[in-house]
Amino acid sequence: MKKLFGAFATVAVVAATQAAAEDITIGLSVDQLFESRVAVNNGIHAGAADRGFEVVEVVADGDAQQQNAQIQSLIAQGVDAILVCAVDQNTIERALIAAKRAGIPVVAYDRDLPDSAVVQSFVGPDSLVDGRLAGEYTAEALASYEGQINIVELIGALNDQNGIDRSLGFREGIASLENVNIIEVPTDWASDRALSGTQNAFQATPDIAAVFAATDTHIPAVETVLTDLDRLVPSGEDGHVIITGVNGSRDGYDAVMSGTADAFVVMGTDATGRTAVDLVARILDGETVDRTNYVGGNLYTAADAEANAAKIWGAPK
């Protein structure tokens, strides 16, 4: 009878757990939608579906004030937790404080809010490592280069920690090179600024050995400039400009496979999304979680990108 009672108890616990899971709603507050963000969000939705959680997604379209209002709306709807990728690190803090007062835990993803008094945990790409991987590849490729090494760096947004860390990591990665001249091109993640900035850089300094793109979605802009200058030389041939980037988009994949770019670092978008949901579940279960959680990327070249296409979020499926 004890064994039978134990079996009934186990079934009851499982049923109760499943019922509780079905009652959990995550508010997903998104800064704006673009390919890599959608890929992370897909991981969130998949992770939530696996647990039986519901997700209410709102998108701020790059408007911090709108995101503030959307978070307030999620609180009013009575969500159990909030996952947030912030437009601005400061503007939404008031709404996050309201979430805390309502007993709603907040987890940040992709973009940390290090000064927030509310955010309990963060998960996102290890942008320092990602940038370093690209830098180390560039340093190895240019190890025998003679004379001054001019490198164009297409910098992301200077107010975005991911952009800052990718730049820092890249510079750490090329530290072994001597006589390096970095030509900084701020882009604020905008392709038109990447294009005009790259054009200006090559006009001012024709002898450029390499380009690092903080996002590989800017590599087509580099291709355009090199084509116009009749300098688009395939990888491995004399005169080729070493090109690397971080992200994992279709632009990066195609450029590497065509030989225009040499390597790209692919973010673990699905793992980031699923980890975000796991952190929420653990917090709701009363567990203590790490404040900062990083998901490192992987560097691929033409030699292994196609074989690993399933792991590259932007690759053709």
Side-chain angles (χ1 to χ4, degrees):
M1 288 295 293
K2 289 183 179 180
K3 289 184 179 180
L4 186 59
F5 177 79
F8 282 138
T10 300
V11 172
V13 169
V14 171
T17 301
Q18 290 174 340
E22 291 172 357
D23 290 338
I24 297 298
T25 299
I26 298 175
L28 176 58
S29 177
V30 186
D31 56 345
Q32 54 189 322
L33 295 179
F34 45 85
E35 284 186 296
S36 60
R37 180 74 73 249
V38 171
V40 176
N41 291 351
N42 287 343
I44 289 172
H45 284 281
D50 288 346
R51 293 177 178 271
F53 293 174
E54 181 182 350
V55 177
V56 177
E57 180 175 335
V58 290
V59 182
D61 295 323
D63 186 330
Q65 293 297 339
Q66 179 171 322
Q67 186 169 42
N68 196 73
Q70 289 174 337
I71 293 173
Q72 295 280 8
S73 176
L74 291 173
I75 295 169
Q77 293 176 55
V79 298
D80 298 283
I82 293 175
L83 281 173
V84 60
C85 184
V87 174
D88 178 77
Q89 294 194 10
N90 300 313
T91 306
I92 66 168
E93 184 68 6
R94 184 175 42 152
L96 299 184
I97 290 172
K100 183 177 182 179
R101 288 173 178 165
I104 301 171
V106 177
V107 172
Y109 75 98
D110 194 67
R111 189 170 291 147
D112 197 3
L113 300 173
D115 299 324
S116 174
V118 177
V119 172
Q120 292 181 237
S121 189
F122 161 75
V123 57
D126 195 331
S127 293
L128 197 64
V129 168
D130 293 349
R132 190 182 299 126
L133 287 172
E136 289 171 348
Y137 181 93
T138 300
E140 184 177 350
L142 296 175
S144 60
Y145 196 93
E146 297 181 358
Q148 179 172 284
I149 304 174
N150 297 312
I151 299 176
V152 172
E153 182 185 356
L154 300 180
I155 300 173
L158 296 176
N159 64 344
D160 182 342
Q161 197 61 46
N162 286 331
I164 294 169
D165 285 347
R166 288 178 190 180
S167 178
L168 290 173
F170 178 76
R171 296 180 188 218
E172 288 179 5
I174 61 172
S176 61
L177 295 175
E178 297 181 357
N179 201 18
V180 172
N181 172 42
I182 296 180
I183 303 167
E184 297 182 356
V185 177
T187 70
D188 200 30
W189 303 120
S191 293
D192 58 340
R193 294 188 63 181
L195 177 62
S196 61
T198 303
Q199 289 171 332
N200 293 336
F202 273 85
Q203 288 172 0
T205 312
D207 187 19
I208 290 173
V211 177
F212 168 63
T215 170
D216 57 28
T217 57
H218 290 169
I219 291 179
V222 179
E223 290 177 307
T224 297
V225 173
L226 293 177
T227 299
D228 291 344
L229 295 173
D230 197 27
R231 289 193 57 184
L232 189 64
V233 179
S235 178
E237 298 185 12
D238 291 340
H240 172 70
V241 176
I242 302 297
I243 300 174
T244 59
V246 176
N247 205 351
S249 72
R250 180 64 182 268
D251 290 328
Y253 180 85
D254 287 347
V256 166
M257 293 307 299
S258 70
T260 296
D262 299 82
F264 68 147
V265 180
V266 179
M267 299 185 300
T269 52
D270 183 72
T272 298
R274 289 177 180 274
T275 300
V277 174
D278 181 65
L279 288 168
V280 165
R282 291 169 61 192
I283 290 171
L284 291 175
D285 282 343
E287 294 184 36
T288 299
V289 299
D290 291 337
R291 170 57 181 78
T292 305
N293 305 269
Y294 289 124
V295 178
N298 295 290
L299 183 140
Y300 296 104
T301 68
D304 56 6
E306 187 173 15
N308 288 281
K311 303 175 184 176
I312 302 172
W313 61 265
K317 300 296 189 289

